Amino acid sequence: MNDGTTRVDLRLVPAALTGWAVTAAGILWQTTGLIVTLAVAVAAASAVGWWFRARGEDTDNRAIGAGVLAVAVVGAALAISVGLRLDAQRQHPITQRYGTIATVVVSPVETPRQLGGNRTMFRGTLQVLDGHEAAGRVVVFGSAAAFSELAAGRPVGFRARLGRPTRQDLTVAVLSATGQPTWGEAATVYRAAHEIRGRFADAARGALPADQAAILPALVLGDTSALPQQTTAEFRTSGLTHLTAVSGANVTIVCGAVLLSAGLVGPRVAVVLAAFALLLFVIVVQPSASVLRAAVMGAITLLAVLSRRRRQAIPALSATVLALMIASPELAVDVGFALSVSATAALVVIAPEWSRRLVGRGWPKPLADAVCVAVAAQLVTAPLIAGISGTFSVMSAAANLAVAAVIPPITVVGTAAAALCWIWPAGADLLIRFTGPELWWLLRVAHWSAKIPGASLAVPSGLLGAVTVAAAGLAAVVLWRWRWTRIGVYVAVVLGLAWTMSGLSAGHDTIVG
Protein backbone atom coordinates (compact mmCIF):
# COMPACT_ATOMS: atom_id res chain seq x y z
CA MET A 1 0.00 0.00 0.00
CA ASN A 2 1.27 3.41 -0.85
CA ASP A 3 1.31 5.34 2.39
CA GLY A 4 3.77 7.91 1.19
CA THR A 5 6.83 5.91 2.32
CA THR A 6 6.24 2.47 0.82
CA ARG A 7 6.06 1.81 -2.89
CA VAL A 8 3.21 -0.30 -4.19
CA ASP A 9 4.38 -3.76 -5.26
CA LEU A 10 3.14 -4.15 -8.85
CA ARG A 11 5.16 -7.19 -9.92
CA LEU A 12 2.17 -9.55 -10.09
CA VAL A 13 -0.12 -7.07 -11.83
CA PRO A 14 0.96 -7.80 -15.45
CA ALA A 15 0.48 -11.54 -14.94
CA ALA A 16 -2.93 -11.04 -13.33
CA LEU A 17 -4.14 -8.67 -16.06
CA THR A 18 -2.85 -11.03 -18.76
CA GLY A 19 -4.54 -14.06 -17.22
CA TRP A 20 -7.80 -12.14 -16.87
CA ALA A 21 -7.69 -10.72 -20.40
CA VAL A 22 -6.79 -14.04 -22.02
CA THR A 23 -9.53 -15.90 -20.14
CA ALA A 24 -12.17 -13.30 -21.04
CA ALA A 25 -11.07 -13.20 -24.68
CA GLY A 26 -11.23 -16.98 -24.93
CA ILE A 27 -14.77 -17.09 -23.53
CA LEU A 28 -16.01 -14.23 -25.71
CA TRP A 29 -14.08 -14.75 -28.97
CA GLN A 30 -12.83 -18.34 -28.78
CA THR A 31 -9.45 -19.32 -30.30
CA THR A 32 -8.89 -16.13 -32.28
CA GLY A 33 -9.41 -14.02 -29.17
CA LEU A 34 -6.95 -16.17 -27.20
CA ILE A 35 -4.15 -15.80 -29.74
CA VAL A 36 -4.63 -12.08 -30.39
CA THR A 37 -4.94 -11.17 -26.70
CA LEU A 38 -1.86 -13.20 -25.72
CA ALA A 39 0.19 -11.53 -28.46
CA VAL A 40 -0.98 -8.07 -27.40
CA ALA A 41 -0.19 -8.81 -23.73
CA VAL A 42 3.37 -9.91 -24.54
CA ALA A 43 3.92 -6.85 -26.75
CA ALA A 44 2.50 -4.53 -24.07
CA ALA A 45 4.73 -6.06 -21.37
CA SER A 46 7.79 -5.54 -23.59
CA ALA A 47 6.81 -1.93 -24.34
CA VAL A 48 6.22 -1.10 -20.66
CA GLY A 49 9.55 -2.64 -19.65
CA TRP A 50 11.50 -0.64 -22.21
CA TRP A 51 9.56 2.51 -21.32
CA PHE A 52 10.59 2.21 -17.67
CA ARG A 53 14.18 1.68 -18.73
CA ALA A 54 14.06 4.74 -20.98
CA ARG A 55 12.87 6.81 -18.00
CA GLY A 56 15.98 5.84 -16.09
CA GLU A 57 14.33 3.29 -13.79
CA ASP A 58 16.53 0.62 -12.26
CA THR A 59 15.59 -2.02 -14.84
CA ASP A 60 18.01 -4.09 -16.94
CA ASN A 61 17.49 -6.36 -19.95
CA ARG A 62 17.38 -9.47 -17.76
CA ALA A 63 14.56 -8.06 -15.63
CA ILE A 64 12.60 -6.99 -18.71
CA GLY A 65 13.04 -10.41 -20.27
CA ALA A 66 11.93 -12.17 -17.07
CA GLY A 67 8.82 -10.01 -16.91
CA VAL A 68 7.89 -10.66 -20.53
CA LEU A 69 8.52 -14.40 -20.08
CA ALA A 70 6.30 -14.47 -16.97
CA VAL A 71 3.48 -12.74 -18.86
CA ALA A 72 3.85 -15.18 -21.78
CA VAL A 73 3.89 -18.27 -19.53
CA VAL A 74 0.88 -17.16 -17.44
CA GLY A 75 -1.04 -16.15 -20.56
CA ALA A 76 -0.29 -19.46 -22.30
CA ALA A 77 -1.29 -21.48 -19.22
CA LEU A 78 -4.59 -19.64 -18.85
CA ALA A 79 -5.20 -19.92 -22.60
CA ILE A 80 -4.80 -23.70 -22.39
CA SER A 81 -7.04 -23.85 -19.32
CA VAL A 82 -9.91 -21.86 -20.83
CA GLY A 83 -9.44 -23.66 -24.16
CA LEU A 84 -10.06 -26.99 -22.44
CA ARG A 85 -13.17 -25.56 -20.73
CA LEU A 86 -14.51 -24.28 -24.05
CA ASP A 87 -13.87 -27.63 -25.75
CA ALA A 88 -15.72 -29.45 -22.97
CA GLN A 89 -18.62 -27.01 -23.34
CA ARG A 90 -18.84 -27.56 -27.12
CA GLN A 91 -18.83 -31.36 -26.71
CA HIS A 92 -21.38 -31.39 -23.88
CA PRO A 93 -24.25 -33.85 -24.61
CA ILE A 94 -26.86 -31.17 -23.97
CA THR A 95 -25.72 -29.16 -27.02
CA GLN A 96 -27.32 -31.83 -29.26
CA ARG A 97 -30.64 -31.45 -27.45
CA TYR A 98 -31.34 -27.72 -27.77
CA GLY A 99 -35.02 -27.12 -28.50
CA THR A 100 -36.17 -30.41 -27.01
CA ILE A 101 -37.76 -31.43 -23.69
CA ALA A 102 -35.75 -33.43 -21.15
CA THR A 103 -35.90 -34.54 -17.53
CA VAL A 104 -33.10 -32.97 -15.52
CA VAL A 105 -31.81 -32.78 -11.97
CA VAL A 106 -30.14 -29.52 -10.99
CA SER A 107 -28.36 -28.51 -7.79
CA PRO A 108 -28.90 -24.75 -7.19
CA VAL A 109 -25.86 -22.71 -6.21
CA GLU A 110 -27.74 -19.59 -5.11
CA THR A 111 -31.03 -18.30 -3.78
CA PRO A 112 -33.55 -17.77 -6.63
CA ARG A 113 -34.21 -14.26 -7.90
CA GLN A 114 -37.81 -13.15 -8.26
CA LEU A 115 -38.48 -11.69 -11.72
CA GLY A 116 -42.10 -10.63 -11.30
CA GLY A 117 -45.15 -12.16 -12.91
CA ASN A 118 -44.75 -15.33 -10.79
CA ARG A 119 -41.41 -16.06 -12.47
CA THR A 120 -38.11 -16.94 -10.82
CA MET A 121 -34.56 -17.54 -12.00
CA PHE A 122 -31.60 -19.32 -10.44
CA ARG A 123 -28.20 -20.69 -11.43
CA GLY A 124 -27.20 -24.25 -10.73
CA THR A 125 -25.10 -27.26 -11.63
CA LEU A 126 -26.56 -29.93 -13.89
CA GLN A 127 -26.43 -33.41 -12.30
CA VAL A 128 -28.68 -35.66 -14.37
CA LEU A 129 -29.91 -35.40 -17.99
CA ASP A 130 -32.61 -37.94 -18.92
CA GLY A 131 -31.35 -40.50 -16.40
CA HIS A 132 -27.65 -40.10 -17.24
CA GLU A 133 -25.07 -38.35 -15.11
CA ALA A 134 -24.12 -34.94 -16.45
CA ALA A 135 -22.34 -31.77 -15.40
CA GLY A 136 -22.16 -28.11 -16.38
CA ARG A 137 -23.46 -24.68 -15.37
CA VAL A 138 -27.10 -23.97 -16.23
CA VAL A 139 -29.58 -21.12 -15.78
CA VAL A 140 -33.13 -22.13 -14.86
CA PHE A 141 -36.36 -20.15 -15.36
CA GLY A 142 -39.54 -21.39 -13.75
CA SER A 143 -42.67 -20.65 -11.75
CA ALA A 144 -42.02 -18.85 -8.47
CA ALA A 145 -44.82 -20.81 -6.81
CA ALA A 146 -43.52 -24.18 -8.03
CA PHE A 147 -39.95 -23.45 -6.87
CA SER A 148 -40.89 -21.76 -3.58
CA GLU A 149 -39.06 -24.48 -1.59
CA LEU A 150 -35.84 -24.03 -3.54
CA ALA A 151 -32.63 -23.66 -1.52
CA ALA A 152 -28.96 -23.70 -2.42
CA GLY A 153 -27.55 -27.23 -2.46
CA ARG A 154 -30.96 -28.96 -2.56
CA PRO A 155 -31.27 -30.99 -5.79
CA VAL A 156 -34.46 -30.51 -7.74
CA GLY A 157 -35.77 -32.62 -10.63
CA PHE A 158 -38.13 -31.32 -13.33
CA ARG A 159 -39.03 -31.40 -16.99
CA ALA A 160 -37.55 -28.54 -18.95
CA ARG A 161 -37.12 -27.21 -22.48
CA LEU A 162 -33.43 -27.02 -23.28
CA GLY A 163 -32.25 -23.76 -24.83
CA ARG A 164 -28.98 -22.24 -25.98
CA PRO A 165 -27.15 -20.04 -23.45
CA THR A 166 -28.03 -16.38 -23.83
CA ARG A 167 -24.68 -15.22 -22.42
CA GLN A 168 -21.12 -16.30 -23.12
CA ASP A 169 -20.06 -17.30 -19.62
CA LEU A 170 -19.43 -21.08 -19.92
CA THR A 171 -23.09 -21.85 -19.22
CA VAL A 172 -24.09 -24.98 -21.19
CA ALA A 173 -27.85 -24.38 -21.39
CA VAL A 174 -30.86 -22.33 -20.34
CA LEU A 175 -33.63 -24.50 -18.88
CA SER A 176 -37.28 -23.44 -18.98
CA ALA A 177 -38.96 -25.56 -16.33
CA THR A 178 -42.39 -27.10 -16.91
CA GLY A 179 -44.62 -29.05 -14.55
CA GLN A 180 -44.10 -29.63 -10.86
CA PRO A 181 -40.58 -30.23 -9.52
CA THR A 182 -39.53 -33.13 -7.32
CA TRP A 183 -37.22 -32.43 -4.43
CA GLY A 184 -34.11 -34.20 -3.30
CA GLU A 185 -32.29 -33.97 0.00
CA ALA A 186 -29.57 -31.37 0.44
CA ALA A 187 -26.34 -32.19 2.23
CA THR A 188 -26.36 -31.65 5.99
CA VAL A 189 -24.21 -28.54 5.75
CA TYR A 190 -26.60 -26.93 3.26
CA ARG A 191 -29.63 -27.81 5.40
CA ALA A 192 -27.97 -26.26 8.42
CA ALA A 193 -27.10 -23.10 6.47
CA HIS A 194 -30.66 -22.80 5.17
CA GLU A 195 -32.00 -23.27 8.70
CA ILE A 196 -29.72 -20.51 10.02
CA ARG A 197 -30.77 -18.12 7.27
CA GLY A 198 -34.44 -18.85 7.95
CA ARG A 199 -34.14 -18.43 11.70
CA PHE A 200 -32.16 -15.22 11.29
CA ALA A 201 -34.84 -13.75 9.01
CA ASP A 202 -37.58 -14.80 11.45
CA ALA A 203 -35.69 -13.30 14.39
CA ALA A 204 -35.22 -10.03 12.50
CA ARG A 205 -38.96 -9.85 11.76
CA GLY A 206 -39.74 -10.40 15.42
CA ALA A 207 -37.31 -7.80 16.76
CA LEU A 208 -37.33 -4.97 14.21
CA PRO A 209 -39.81 -2.89 12.20
CA ALA A 210 -40.71 -4.35 8.80
CA ASP A 211 -38.36 -2.18 6.70
CA GLN A 212 -35.37 -2.84 8.98
CA ALA A 213 -36.16 -6.56 9.23
CA ALA A 214 -36.12 -6.82 5.43
CA ILE A 215 -32.78 -5.07 4.96
CA LEU A 216 -30.78 -6.76 7.78
CA PRO A 217 -30.52 -10.25 6.15
CA ALA A 218 -29.52 -8.57 2.89
CA LEU A 219 -26.67 -6.65 4.55
CA VAL A 220 -25.40 -9.58 6.62
CA LEU A 221 -26.05 -12.64 4.44
CA GLY A 222 -26.87 -11.22 1.01
CA ASP A 223 -30.47 -12.47 1.31
CA THR A 224 -32.53 -9.94 -0.68
CA SER A 225 -35.67 -12.08 -0.99
CA ALA A 226 -37.68 -9.90 1.43
CA LEU A 227 -36.58 -6.49 0.13
CA PRO A 228 -39.52 -4.40 -1.11
CA GLN A 229 -39.25 -2.86 -4.56
CA GLN A 230 -39.21 0.69 -3.18
CA THR A 231 -36.17 -0.02 -0.98
CA THR A 232 -34.38 -1.71 -3.88
CA ALA A 233 -35.06 1.30 -6.12
CA GLU A 234 -33.85 3.77 -3.47
CA PHE A 235 -30.64 1.84 -2.89
CA ARG A 236 -30.01 1.70 -6.64
CA THR A 237 -30.59 5.43 -7.12
CA SER A 238 -28.41 6.37 -4.14
CA GLY A 239 -25.58 4.02 -5.15
CA LEU A 240 -25.90 1.73 -2.11
CA THR A 241 -26.94 -1.48 -3.88
CA HIS A 242 -23.47 -3.01 -3.37
CA LEU A 243 -24.16 -3.19 0.37
CA THR A 244 -26.82 -5.89 -0.22
CA ALA A 245 -24.35 -8.18 -1.99
CA VAL A 246 -21.74 -10.08 0.02
CA SER A 247 -18.32 -8.72 -0.93
CA GLY A 248 -14.76 -8.51 0.26
CA ALA A 249 -15.86 -5.80 2.68
CA ASN A 250 -18.06 -8.29 4.55
CA VAL A 251 -15.22 -10.81 4.76
CA THR A 252 -12.75 -8.16 5.89
CA ILE A 253 -15.08 -6.89 8.63
CA VAL A 254 -15.95 -10.36 9.95
CA CYS A 255 -12.39 -11.72 9.88
CA GLY A 256 -11.02 -8.45 11.23
CA ALA A 257 -13.37 -8.62 14.21
CA VAL A 258 -12.17 -12.16 14.97
CA LEU A 259 -8.51 -11.17 14.57
CA LEU A 260 -8.98 -8.50 17.24
CA SER A 261 -8.90 -11.40 19.70
CA ALA A 262 -5.19 -11.86 18.96
CA GLY A 263 -4.31 -9.97 22.14
CA LEU A 264 -6.17 -12.58 24.21
CA VAL A 265 -5.46 -15.87 22.41
CA GLY A 266 -2.35 -15.07 20.39
CA PRO A 267 -2.00 -14.26 16.68
CA ARG A 268 -1.82 -17.84 15.39
CA VAL A 269 -4.92 -18.98 17.27
CA ALA A 270 -6.71 -15.82 16.17
CA VAL A 271 -5.89 -16.56 12.53
CA VAL A 272 -7.20 -20.14 12.92
CA LEU A 273 -10.40 -18.78 14.46
CA ALA A 274 -10.71 -16.23 11.63
CA ALA A 275 -10.25 -18.98 9.04
CA PHE A 276 -12.96 -21.05 10.74
CA ALA A 277 -15.26 -18.02 10.86
CA LEU A 278 -14.57 -17.41 7.17
CA LEU A 279 -15.49 -21.01 6.30
CA LEU A 280 -18.74 -20.86 8.27
CA PHE A 281 -19.55 -17.45 6.81
CA VAL A 282 -19.17 -18.74 3.24
CA ILE A 283 -21.32 -21.79 3.95
CA VAL A 284 -24.14 -19.80 5.53
CA VAL A 285 -24.06 -17.04 2.90
CA GLN A 286 -23.90 -19.67 0.09
CA PRO A 287 -20.80 -20.17 -2.08
CA SER A 288 -21.90 -18.16 -5.12
CA ALA A 289 -19.44 -16.45 -7.45
CA SER A 290 -19.37 -13.18 -5.48
CA VAL A 291 -18.87 -14.98 -2.18
CA LEU A 292 -16.13 -17.14 -3.72
CA ARG A 293 -14.04 -14.16 -4.79
CA ALA A 294 -14.53 -12.48 -1.41
CA ALA A 295 -13.53 -15.66 0.43
CA VAL A 296 -10.38 -16.17 -1.63
CA MET A 297 -9.25 -12.60 -0.90
CA GLY A 298 -9.88 -13.19 2.80
CA ALA A 299 -7.95 -16.48 2.72
CA ILE A 300 -4.93 -14.81 1.10
CA THR A 301 -4.98 -12.13 3.79
CA LEU A 302 -5.09 -14.80 6.51
CA LEU A 303 -2.11 -16.61 4.97
CA ALA A 304 -0.15 -13.37 4.91
CA VAL A 305 -0.87 -12.83 8.62
CA LEU A 306 0.03 -16.42 9.48
CA SER A 307 3.38 -16.20 7.65
CA ARG A 308 4.10 -12.90 9.48
CA ARG A 309 4.76 -11.12 6.18
CA ARG A 310 3.73 -7.54 5.79
CA ARG A 311 0.37 -7.32 4.08
CA GLN A 312 0.56 -5.93 0.55
CA ALA A 313 -2.86 -5.51 -0.94
CA ILE A 314 -2.00 -5.31 -4.65
CA PRO A 315 -0.02 -8.60 -4.72
CA ALA A 316 -2.83 -10.23 -2.74
CA LEU A 317 -5.42 -8.91 -5.16
CA SER A 318 -3.35 -10.02 -8.16
CA ALA A 319 -2.94 -13.50 -6.69
CA THR A 320 -6.70 -13.61 -6.10
CA VAL A 321 -7.39 -12.78 -9.73
CA LEU A 322 -5.05 -15.51 -10.96
CA ALA A 323 -6.48 -18.10 -8.56
CA LEU A 324 -10.06 -17.31 -9.55
CA MET A 325 -9.24 -17.38 -13.27
CA ILE A 326 -8.08 -20.97 -12.76
CA ALA A 327 -10.81 -22.11 -10.36
CA SER A 328 -13.76 -20.22 -11.85
CA PRO A 329 -12.89 -18.80 -15.30
CA GLU A 330 -16.45 -17.59 -15.93
CA LEU A 331 -15.68 -14.74 -13.51
CA ALA A 332 -13.54 -13.19 -16.25
CA VAL A 333 -16.72 -11.98 -17.96
CA ASP A 334 -18.68 -11.31 -14.77
CA VAL A 335 -19.37 -7.61 -14.22
CA GLY A 336 -19.59 -8.04 -10.45
CA PHE A 337 -16.06 -9.44 -10.44
CA ALA A 338 -14.80 -6.47 -12.45
CA LEU A 339 -16.49 -4.07 -10.04
CA SER A 340 -14.99 -5.84 -7.04
CA VAL A 341 -11.44 -5.88 -8.40
CA SER A 342 -11.48 -2.30 -9.67
CA ALA A 343 -12.92 -0.98 -6.39
CA THR A 344 -10.34 -2.85 -4.33
CA ALA A 345 -7.49 -1.60 -6.51
CA ALA A 346 -8.74 1.98 -6.18
CA LEU A 347 -8.96 1.69 -2.41
CA VAL A 348 -5.36 0.51 -2.03
CA VAL A 349 -3.71 2.66 -4.71
CA ILE A 350 -5.71 5.88 -5.16
CA ALA A 351 -7.42 6.43 -1.81
CA PRO A 352 -4.29 6.33 0.41
CA GLU A 353 -2.48 8.89 -1.77
CA TRP A 354 -5.46 11.26 -1.80
CA SER A 355 -5.90 10.82 1.94
CA ARG A 356 -2.24 11.68 2.56
CA ARG A 357 -2.65 14.92 0.61
CA LEU A 358 -5.80 15.89 2.53
CA VAL A 359 -4.12 15.18 5.85
CA GLY A 360 -1.27 17.42 4.72
CA ARG A 361 -3.83 20.21 4.25
CA GLY A 362 -5.11 19.82 7.81
CA TRP A 363 -7.94 17.29 7.43
CA PRO A 364 -8.44 14.79 10.31
CA LYS A 365 -7.13 11.44 9.08
CA PRO A 366 -10.33 9.41 9.76
CA LEU A 367 -12.40 11.92 7.78
CA ALA A 368 -9.83 12.07 4.98
CA ASP A 369 -9.74 8.26 4.75
CA ALA A 370 -13.53 7.96 4.65
CA VAL A 371 -13.95 10.66 2.00
CA CYS A 372 -11.17 9.30 -0.23
CA VAL A 373 -12.42 5.71 -0.01
CA ALA A 374 -15.94 6.73 -1.05
CA VAL A 375 -14.77 8.99 -3.90
CA ALA A 376 -12.14 6.56 -5.22
CA ALA A 377 -14.60 3.68 -5.29
CA GLN A 378 -17.15 5.84 -7.09
CA LEU A 379 -14.56 7.03 -9.63
CA VAL A 380 -13.52 3.56 -10.82
CA THR A 381 -16.84 1.74 -10.60
CA ALA A 382 -19.11 4.42 -12.09
CA PRO A 383 -18.06 3.75 -15.73
CA LEU A 384 -18.81 0.02 -15.38
CA ILE A 385 -22.16 0.68 -13.73
CA ALA A 386 -23.06 3.23 -16.40
CA GLY A 387 -22.20 0.78 -19.17
CA ILE A 388 -24.41 -1.88 -17.59
CA SER A 389 -27.43 0.11 -16.45
CA GLY A 390 -27.29 3.35 -18.44
CA THR A 391 -27.44 5.39 -15.23
CA PHE A 392 -24.97 7.37 -13.15
CA SER A 393 -25.59 7.88 -9.42
CA VAL A 394 -24.54 11.41 -8.52
CA MET A 395 -25.17 10.75 -4.83
CA SER A 396 -23.20 7.50 -4.55
CA ALA A 397 -20.03 8.91 -2.96
CA ALA A 398 -21.92 11.13 -0.49
CA ALA A 399 -24.41 8.38 0.46
CA ASN A 400 -21.64 5.81 1.01
CA LEU A 401 -19.72 8.31 3.11
CA ALA A 402 -22.83 9.02 5.20
CA VAL A 403 -23.36 5.32 6.03
CA ALA A 404 -19.71 4.27 6.32
CA ALA A 405 -19.74 4.37 10.12
CA VAL A 406 -22.80 2.10 10.56
CA ILE A 407 -21.90 -0.72 8.15
CA PRO A 408 -19.20 -2.41 10.31
CA PRO A 409 -21.37 -2.64 13.47
CA ILE A 410 -24.32 -3.92 11.43
CA THR A 411 -22.12 -6.58 9.83
CA VAL A 412 -20.37 -7.71 13.01
CA VAL A 413 -23.40 -7.65 15.31
CA GLY A 414 -25.66 -9.11 12.62
CA THR A 415 -23.23 -11.95 11.87
CA ALA A 416 -22.94 -12.73 15.58
CA ALA A 417 -26.74 -12.76 15.84
CA ALA A 418 -27.00 -15.15 12.89
CA ALA A 419 -24.54 -17.48 14.60
CA LEU A 420 -26.54 -17.37 17.84
CA CYS A 421 -29.95 -17.98 16.24
CA TRP A 422 -29.49 -21.73 16.45
CA ILE A 423 -28.05 -22.10 19.95
CA TRP A 424 -29.38 -19.05 21.86
CA PRO A 425 -32.40 -17.36 20.21
CA ALA A 426 -32.82 -14.87 23.07
CA GLY A 427 -29.24 -13.66 22.69
CA ALA A 428 -29.69 -13.34 18.94
CA ASP A 429 -32.85 -11.30 19.47
CA LEU A 430 -30.99 -8.93 21.81
CA LEU A 431 -28.13 -8.43 19.35
CA ILE A 432 -30.53 -7.78 16.47
CA ARG A 433 -32.21 -5.02 18.45
CA PHE A 434 -28.85 -3.25 18.77
CA THR A 435 -28.73 -2.91 14.96
CA GLY A 436 -32.01 -0.95 14.89
CA PRO A 437 -30.60 2.61 15.08
CA GLU A 438 -27.93 1.86 12.46
CA LEU A 439 -30.47 0.31 10.10
CA TRP A 440 -32.79 3.29 10.58
CA TRP A 441 -30.00 5.67 9.60
CA LEU A 442 -29.03 3.56 6.55
CA LEU A 443 -32.62 3.48 5.27
CA ARG A 444 -33.08 7.21 5.85
CA VAL A 445 -29.87 8.03 3.95
CA ALA A 446 -30.99 5.87 1.02
CA HIS A 447 -34.42 7.53 1.05
CA TRP A 448 -33.11 11.10 1.31
CA SER A 449 -30.40 10.52 -1.30
CA ALA A 450 -32.87 9.06 -3.77
CA LYS A 451 -35.16 12.10 -3.32
CA ILE A 452 -32.49 14.65 -4.27
CA PRO A 453 -33.20 16.11 -7.73
CA GLY A 454 -30.83 14.62 -10.27
CA ALA A 455 -29.62 11.92 -7.86
CA SER A 456 -29.47 9.50 -10.79
CA LEU A 457 -28.68 10.65 -14.34
CA ALA A 458 -29.46 8.75 -17.53
CA VAL A 459 -26.37 8.10 -19.69
CA PRO A 460 -25.81 5.97 -22.79
CA SER A 461 -25.48 2.28 -21.98
CA GLY A 462 -22.77 -0.01 -23.27
CA LEU A 463 -19.25 1.05 -24.24
CA LEU A 464 -20.29 4.62 -25.08
CA GLY A 465 -21.73 5.18 -21.60
CA ALA A 466 -18.69 3.65 -19.89
CA VAL A 467 -16.28 5.82 -21.89
CA THR A 468 -18.39 8.95 -21.33
CA VAL A 469 -18.53 8.52 -17.56
CA ALA A 470 -14.83 7.57 -17.38
CA ALA A 471 -13.89 10.69 -19.33
CA ALA A 472 -16.08 12.84 -17.08
CA GLY A 473 -14.47 11.32 -13.98
CA LEU A 474 -10.96 11.93 -15.34
CA ALA A 475 -11.89 15.52 -16.19
CA ALA A 476 -13.26 16.03 -12.66
CA VAL A 477 -10.00 14.77 -11.14
CA VAL A 478 -7.94 17.10 -13.35
CA LEU A 479 -10.17 20.14 -12.77
CA TRP A 480 -10.41 19.58 -9.01
CA ARG A 481 -7.03 21.23 -8.48
CA TRP A 482 -8.56 24.57 -9.49
CA ARG A 483 -10.17 26.48 -6.64
CA TRP A 484 -13.23 27.60 -8.63
CA THR A 485 -14.08 23.98 -9.47
CA ARG A 486 -14.14 23.05 -5.80
CA ILE A 487 -16.24 26.09 -4.93
CA GLY A 488 -18.75 25.20 -7.65
CA VAL A 489 -19.07 21.64 -6.35
CA TYR A 490 -19.55 22.83 -2.75
CA VAL A 491 -22.27 25.28 -3.86
CA ALA A 492 -24.05 22.56 -5.87
CA VAL A 493 -23.99 20.20 -2.87
CA VAL A 494 -25.40 22.85 -0.52
CA LEU A 495 -28.15 23.80 -2.98
CA GLY A 496 -29.06 20.16 -3.53
CA LEU A 497 -29.29 19.49 0.21
CA ALA A 498 -31.37 22.64 0.75
CA TRP A 499 -33.74 21.67 -2.06
CA THR A 500 -34.12 18.15 -0.68
CA MET A 501 -34.73 19.28 2.90
CA SER A 502 -37.31 21.82 1.76
CA GLY A 503 -39.09 19.12 -0.23
CA LEU A 504 -39.06 16.71 2.71
CA SER A 505 -40.32 19.45 5.03
CA ALA A 506 -43.13 20.34 2.62
CA GLY A 507 -44.12 16.70 2.34
CA HIS A 508 -44.14 16.34 6.11
CA ASP A 509 -46.30 19.46 6.50
CA THR A 510 -48.73 18.10 3.94
CA ILE A 511 -49.03 14.81 5.78
CA VAL A 512 -49.51 16.54 9.13
CA GLY A 513 -52.08 18.95 7.69
Side-chain angles (χ1 to χ4, degrees):
M1 183 178 294
N2 188 2
D3 55 9
T5 59
T6 304
R7 297 181 64 180
V8 178
D9 187 349
L10 301 177
R11 288 175 293 179
L12 273 179
V13 171
L17 291 178
T18 299
W20 189 354
V22 167
T23 304
I27 294 175
L28 296 175
W29 303 304
Q30 310 293 317
T31 304
T32 302
L34 285 173
I35 296 173
V36 172
T37 304
L38 182 57
V40 170
V42 172
S46 302
V48 170
W50 286 106
W51 180 71
F52 273 109
R53 185 181 180 186
R55 291 184 56 195
E57 299 282 347
D58 186 17
T59 306
D60 56 19
N61 290 339
R62 184 176 299 178
I64 295 174
V68 173
L69 179 61
V71 167
V73 169
V74 170
L78 268 297
I80 293 173
S81 175
V82 73
L84 293 174
R85 298 286 187 107
L86 290 169
D87 186 64
Q89 182 187 24
R90 285 191 292 266
Q91 297 183 16
H92 197 284
I94 207 169
T95 59
Q96 308 299 320
R97 303 282 305 276
Y98 291 151
T100 65
I101 302 292
T103 301
V104 299
V105 176
V106 175
S107 178
V109 297
E110 63 181 12
T111 301
R113 305 176 190 177
Q114 303 303 318
L115 303 178
N118 193 36
R119 300 290 293 171
T120 190
M121 183 272 284
F122 64 92
R123 299 182 184 276
T125 301
L126 184 65
Q127 293 185 333
V128 177
L129 177 64
D130 276 342
H132 301 283
E133 290 188 3
R137 291 161 42 87
V138 294
V139 177
V140 181
F141 292 89
S143 165
F147 286 91
S148 59
E149 300 179 28
L150 189 75
R154 185 182 186 185
V156 55
F158 52 91
R159 298 278 291 173
R161 178 172 294 277
L162 312 180
R164 294 182 181 276
T166 56
R167 296 181 56 190
Q168 292 177 290
D169 59 358
L170 298 183
T171 298
V172 298
V174 172
L175 310 181
S176 299
T178 60
Q180 291 296 317
T182 57
W183 302 99
E185 191 71 21
T188 302
V189 65
Y190 280 109
R191 293 201 305 272
H194 183 65
E195 181 70 15
I196 291 174
R197 291 166 67 90
R199 290 191 181 189
F200 182 59
D202 292 340
R205 284 191 290 269
L208 297 171
D211 56 346
Q212 298 176 18
I215 193 65
L216 182 60
L219 297 171
V220 176
L221 302 178
D223 182 4
T224 59
S225 58
L227 279 181
Q229 293 184 353
Q230 180 180 351
T231 302
T232 302
E234 290 176 348
F235 269 61
R236 184 184 303 113
T237 301
S238 58
L240 298 174
T241 302
H242 66 94
L243 297 177
T244 62
V246 174
S247 64
N250 298 71
V251 173
T252 302
I253 292 170
V254 172
C255 292
V258 177
L259 287 173
L260 288 176
S261 65
L264 298 176
V265 299
R268 291 183 178 273
V269 176
V271 168
V272 172
L273 291 177
F276 183 67
L278 175 61
L279 176 62
L280 292 180
F281 185 76
V282 170
I283 292 173
V284 174
V285 171
Q286 298 176 357
S288 61
S290 62
V291 178
L292 174 64
R293 62 175 179 260
V296 171
M297 187 63 180
I300 291 175
T301 302
L302 291 176
L303 289 176
V305 173
L306 188 60
S307 62
R308 294 184 180 180
R309 293 179 181 177
R310 185 176 181 178
R311 179 182 178 185
Q312 293 181 312
I314 288 297
L317 181 62
S318 301
T320 299
V321 171
L322 286 172
L324 291 177
M325 290 302 100
I326 296 171
S328 190
E330 63 274 6
L331 289 176
V333 293
D334 181 76
V335 176
F337 178 71
L339 288 170
S340 177
V341 173
S342 60
T344 303
L347 299 186
V348 299
V349 176
I350 301 175
E353 177 64 20
W354 287 358
S355 178
R356 183 180 64 82
R357 294 182 181 182
L358 290 181
V359 170
R361 294 180 179 179
W363 283 53
K365 192 174 188 308
L367 178 60
D369 288 342
V371 170
C372 293
V373 163
V375 174
Q378 165 79 349
L379 181 69
V380 299
T381 59
L384 291 171
I385 295 173
I388 301 164
S389 62
T391 60
F392 171 68
S393 176
V394 177
M395 292 301 301
S396 178
N400 279 277
L401 179 61
V403 303
V406 302
I407 299 304
I410 290 175
T411 303
V412 173
V413 176
T415 302
L420 286 177
C421 279
W422 195 309
I423 57 177
W424 188 22
D429 180 85
L430 178 62
L431 288 178
I432 289 173
R433 292 181 186 276
F434 278 113
T435 66
E438 295 92 338
L439 293 170
W440 176 88
W441 173 250
L442 173 63
L443 290 168
R444 295 292 74 75
V445 169
H447 179 72
W448 293 335
S449 300
K451 291 296 183 181
I452 290 179
S456 181
L457 302 179
V459 297
S461 59
L463 181 60
L464 177 59
V467 172
T468 301
V469 174
L474 181 60
V477 172
V478 173
L479 293 175
W480 187 257
R481 65 185 63 184
W482 278 279
R483 181 168 174 266
W484 288 108
T485 301
R486 297 194 294 271
I487 292 176
V489 171
Y490 297 150
V491 170
V493 170
V494 171
L495 291 177
L497 289 175
W499 191 349
T500 304
M501 295 306 295
S502 64
L504 292 174
S505 176
H508 176 73
D509 292 342
T510 301
I511 294 174
V512 173

